[in-house]
Amino acid sequence: MAWNTGLKGKALAIAQTPASPLRVLAGPGTGKSYAMMRRVARLVEQGTAPERVLAVTFTRTAAADLKREVGQLGIAGCDKVDAGTLHAFCFRTLQQAAVLAQTGRHPRPLVTFTNKQVMQFEAKPMLSDLDPKYGDQRAKSKRVLAYEAAWARQQHQTPGFTLKPIDKAFEADLVSWLRFHEAMVLGELIPQALEYLRTNPTAPVLSAFDHVVVDEYQDLNRAEQDLIDLLAKAGSLSIVGDEDQSIYRFRHANPDGIRDFDQTHSSTHDETLDECRRCPQKVVSIADHLIRNNHPSTIPTRLKPMAGNPAGDVYIVQWKDLAAEIAGLSDYVRELVRVRRVDPGDVLILSPRKYIGYELRDAITSHGIDAHSFYNEEALDTDEAQLAFTLLTLQANPDDIVAYRFWLGHGSQDWRRRQYETLRTAAATAGRSPREVLADVVAGNVQLSGVANLKTRQQALEAALAALGGLVGDALVDALFDPQEPWAEAAQKAWQKVKDPTADAATILDLLRTEVTHPEVPDADAVRIMSLHKSKGLTSRVVIVTSCVQGLIPVPAANPAEAAAVEREQRRLFYVALTRATDTLVLSSCAGVDRALAYRLGMQVRGRARAVSFVASQFFKELGPTAPRPETGPNWEAAGYR
């Protein structure tokens, strides 16, 4: 099949234009991936060596989809297109050029996730070890994100340079900790690669590509954008994205990156895709009315319905409290699956809090319907799971200093910071690892005062690893991740995908690390439950957005000066959620919750009443005149969910 078979209109224009740089402004469900895939196919069919085409995607799944779909056109060589995430590309580049080895860095990533804006698991002892002058753990976590963005917190700032002495000091201390522990934070691959390419103009990769194609450009921060510019300097550049779907402000990705692209890239050629092919007309109408609140009143329609698409169904419902919401929505899912014969995999539930998502998952499974939750941290969000993963890491590699640091500090609020500082200093002075030094201290071969608690932890580790000695395959996984325990469910599911009865600890760790710590959301035969952020790039026949109440959707800004910017991004996030639906959209809220649970959900609680009252999200009033009138959950149920 030729690259232009069946192409017409804007999709044909995007695929065939030789213009560079090309900016495609594409709303949700408008066919941007299809058009860009055909563009890549044209380049290869017309003679560009596929290895000289770099396609940057936001997820591994998107990269695999692009290569598969281009390959289905039958154009020779398309499977050799260099497609993948920018982080994967940077890692490969740094490894091939031996940059990490020459700069004394080790490509062992910290296994971490963020909860309440604080880095968790293996990053927690790191945050504790960093000087208190950098702030509390939340402040330090924010500084790590700024470091990963090469200190370009705003679009107008130049990556790689900071004039703040506190930032310079933080970077020096952070890198010192990472060097000693032979590790990296995953995001620093970007500033590392950017620095290498800036300072080494003869680097082969700078002339390796004739064409660079970038998807989801609005999700790149300024450092990533500069990196893309360097890679495209010798060839053409095509970007596609949508400022209205920019939802990663926390990692310093700004919507003005794509909006103002033409101001920093002369002779930019623009194409626009604004006809939503994915969503029914009612969903497009309310989504468009919502997002126009982020733009001047003179801005015309942002997203248009595709002529001929069905009207679809939109419901806005409210329940008396959170328990009633969970019960009511799980009953609705049972109606969809058991009565209307909707495939469970065609139901997507988006929840602003994992607690609500877990409760919904359990309520749905109690009806005998498979439901899976996909929260980034879920496999490792308990002490038990973190300790099990740490033991697996140390069983695989007893010299893993990051895992060893976690084990020594676990159970202490300050991660035994001062005792560990004593041990670290002694190890650095002796040119040995902390474990070697502490093992000698326990054995009485080395005298080191002030580390009594660490000695106890060392002895506990020796006993725990001895109990695992000789175990492989299922026996080792089950010993670490008890299949009878709910906290082990995610790890057990991941293991089932790659099950190998002869696998040793190192093999199991390698198999589980990606599945557990960086899961992609697959097409599933079960109801999928996740955060609104996680839904980016997905579609589903039925989409249910839960707990649309003030304080959760949108969340309030921590800093009043940032209130307007936070509200605009929260509106963009809600817009992304709405536009996942291909048939039915349900927006659900509740009128209240128990005070203790409100605290657990991270809500701002005022007064002393035992029950906390909620009001529906402010975004409901922005959905326009075609939005249905909200109704109570019981009335909706009594009407047959219609």
Side-chain angles (χ1 to χ4, degrees):
M1 182 188 301
W3 68 269
N4 58 354
T5 300
L7 275 186
K8 58 183 179 179
K10 292 183 177 180
L12 177 61
I14 291 168
Q16 73 179 2
T17 180
S20 174
L22 168 66
R23 175 176 59 177
V24 180
L25 301 168
T30 56
K32 67 177 178 63
S33 298
Y34 175 77
M36 296 303 277
M37 177 265 291
R38 290 298 189 97
R39 181 172 179 82
V40 170
R42 176 185 68 80
L43 294 172
V44 176
E45 185 176 329
Q46 293 184 348
T48 301
E51 300 89 347
R52 295 190 64 81
V53 178
L54 175 64
V56 177
T57 61
F58 199 66
T59 65
R60 302 189 310 273
T61 298
D65 289 346
L66 183 146
K67 296 188 76 167
R68 183 185 67 252
E69 292 171 9
V70 171
Q72 288 174 351
L73 295 176
I75 299 173
C78 280
D79 59 321
K80 297 178 182 178
V81 169
D82 192 341
T85 65
L86 195 56
H87 281 86
F89 175 84
C90 289
F91 176 72
R92 187 175 76 237
T93 297
L94 293 170
Q95 285 290 80
Q96 289 174 346
V99 174
L100 298 179
Q102 293 181 58
T103 56
R105 301 304 306 274
H106 293 76
R108 193 282 198 198
L110 287 187
V111 180
T112 186
F113 56 90
T114 301
N115 184 22
K116 296 181 180 178
Q117 300 181 317
V118 175
M119 299 174 72
Q120 304 292 319
F121 191 24
E122 291 182 343
K124 286 294 285 290
M126 177 187 75
L127 297 178
S128 179
D129 289 346
L130 292 170
D131 198 297
K133 70 182 179 183
Y134 301 122
D136 60 14
Q137 290 195 333
R138 180 176 295 183
K140 292 175 184 176
S141 296
K142 291 178 69 175
R143 290 190 191 278
V144 172
L145 288 172
Y147 165 66
E148 292 178 334
W151 301 110
R153 294 177 171 94
Q154 302 295 329
Q155 184 64 28
H156 66 272
Q157 295 174 321
T158 302
F161 303 94
T162 176
L163 299 178
K164 295 181 178 180
I166 190 71
D167 287 344
K168 291 181 179 180
F170 179 82
E171 178 174 339
D173 288 352
L174 174 65
V175 172
S176 174
W177 192 97
L178 292 168
R179 285 184 190 279
F180 179 83
H181 292 84
E182 299 180 353
M184 297 183 71
V185 286
L186 183 63
E188 71 174 317
L189 288 169
I190 301 298
Q192 291 276 342
L194 182 59
E195 179 183 355
Y196 164 64
L197 295 181
R198 275 178 174 171
T199 56
N200 293 272
T202 61
V205 73
L206 289 174
S207 57
F209 303 107
D210 296 325
H211 302 278
V212 177
V213 181
V214 185
D215 195 13
E216 305 289 3
Y217 189 84
Q218 78 281 345
D219 293 331
L220 303 184
N221 59 39
R222 178 62 192 278
E224 293 163 332
Q225 294 165 17
D226 278 18
L227 185 58
I228 291 294
D229 285 344
L230 285 172
L231 297 172
K233 192 172 183 179
S236 74
L237 173 61
S238 306
I239 69 164
V240 60
D242 178 17
E243 66 171 286
D244 291 333
Q245 296 183 78
S246 176
I247 58 174
Y248 294 102
R249 184 173 177 270
F250 63 88
R251 55 182 299 273
H252 306 295
N254 300 295
D256 39 347
I258 189 168
R259 183 178 60 234
D260 300 337
F261 180 85
D262 58 329
Q263 297 180 23
T264 54
H265 297 75
S266 61
S267 303
T268 295
H269 175 78
D270 280 337
E271 295 286 347
T272 302
L273 293 171
D274 57 7
E275 183 181 68
C276 184
R277 299 166 176 268
R278 173 197 303 155
C279 303
Q281 299 205 20
K282 288 182 179 180
V283 171
V284 173
S285 176
I286 65 171
D288 177 64
H289 276 88
L290 171 78
I291 203 61
R292 281 159 65 183
N293 285 274
N294 271 10
H295 300 276
S297 58
T298 55
I299 294 293
T301 300
R302 300 286 298 175
L303 191 66
K304 301 174 183 177
M306 182 177 179
N309 270 9
D313 294 310
V314 177
Y315 304 103
I316 304 177
V317 297
Q318 186 174 65
W319 312 84
K320 68 176 183 178
D321 54 32
L322 183 59
E325 182 180 18
I326 290 169
L329 291 179
S330 64
D331 287 345
Y332 172 59
V333 172
R334 179 176 58 184
E335 163 79 11
L336 291 173
V337 175
R338 300 297 186 211
V339 179
R340 303 186 190 181
R341 300 301 178 185
V342 173
D343 189 286
D346 287 331
V347 180
L348 176 64
I349 300 177
L350 307 180
S351 172
R353 292 290 185 272
K354 65 181 179 181
Y355 170 84
I356 301 170
Y358 292 166
E359 291 292 305
L360 267 167
R361 177 197 60 193
D362 294 344
I364 291 168
T365 56
S366 73
H367 293 317
I369 300 169
D370 284 342
H372 295 166
S373 50
F374 297 91
Y375 290 87
N376 284 348
E377 70 274 19
E378 113 179 78
L380 295 170
D381 64 355
T382 64
D383 278 351
E384 296 90 345
Q386 291 175 11
L387 283 173
F389 199 86
T390 299
L391 282 174
L392 176 61
T393 303
L394 290 169
Q395 183 76 346
N397 178 14
D399 296 321
D400 190 296
I401 307 176
V402 170
Y404 189 60
R405 173 67 184 102
F406 181 88
W407 177 270
L408 291 181
H410 185 267
S412 167
Q413 188 172 3
D414 69 351
W415 294 88
R416 302 184 179 92
R417 175 176 179 261
R418 295 193 180 281
Q419 291 190 43
Y420 184 74
E421 185 177 0
T422 299
L423 175 61
R424 177 180 167 182
T425 300
T429 301
R432 305 175 70 197
S433 74
R435 182 168 180 173
E436 290 173 330
V437 172
L438 191 56
D440 273 352
V441 172
V442 171
N445 299 326
V446 171
Q447 296 299 313
L448 187 64
S449 60
V451 294
N453 297 117
L454 300 190
K455 290 168 61 177
T456 301
R457 292 298 293 165
Q458 169 67 19
Q459 292 166 332
L461 176 62
E462 291 173 354
L465 293 180
L468 299 175
L471 297 182
V472 297
D474 283 337
L476 179 55
V477 173
D478 289 351
L480 290 167
F481 301 94
D482 187 342
Q484 302 303 315
E485 293 289 344
W487 59 263
E489 181 181 355
Q492 283 285 344
K493 284 181 179 178
W495 168 244
Q496 295 306 313
K497 296 179 184 178
V498 294
K499 198 169 183 178
D500 179 355
T502 64
D504 60 9
T507 303
I508 293 171
L509 178 64
D510 186 55
L511 293 173
L512 288 185
R513 192 186 294 272
T514 298
E515 284 288 342
V516 170
T517 61
H518 301 290
E520 298 281 0
V521 180
D523 292 330
D525 55 3
V527 175
R528 292 172 292 175
I529 305 171
M530 65 194 70
S531 68
L532 279 67
H533 276 97
K534 193 74 172 178
S535 71
K536 187 77 172 287
L538 299 179
T539 62
S540 186
R541 179 179 170 185
V542 179
V543 172
I544 303 169
V545 188
T546 76
S547 306
C548 301
V549 299
Q550 286 295 114
L552 294 180
I553 302 176
V555 295
N559 181 354
E562 298 179 342
V566 170
E567 181 180 306
R568 286 193 296 270
E569 181 174 69
Q570 289 284 296
R571 187 176 287 111
R572 294 193 294 269
L573 181 60
F574 196 48
Y575 176 71
V576 167
L578 303 185
T579 53
R580 303 307 96 195
T582 63
D583 182 87
T584 301
L585 174 66
V586 178
L587 304 178
S588 175
S589 68
C590 61
V593 72
D594 178 82
R595 184 183 188 85
L597 184 52
Y599 278 117
R600 181 171 182 175
L601 296 175
M603 305 286 288
Q604 291 184 350
V605 178
R606 296 180 176 84
R608 300 186 179 218
R610 181 174 179 181
V612 178
S613 297
F614 290 160
V615 296
S617 171
Q618 69 185 63
F619 294 150
F620 283 5
K621 69 180 180 182
E622 300 176 1
L623 299 179
T626 64
R629 179 175 297 178
E631 58 183 316
T632 69
N635 285 348
W636 181 51
E637 184 176 14
Y641 304 106
R642 299 185 188 279

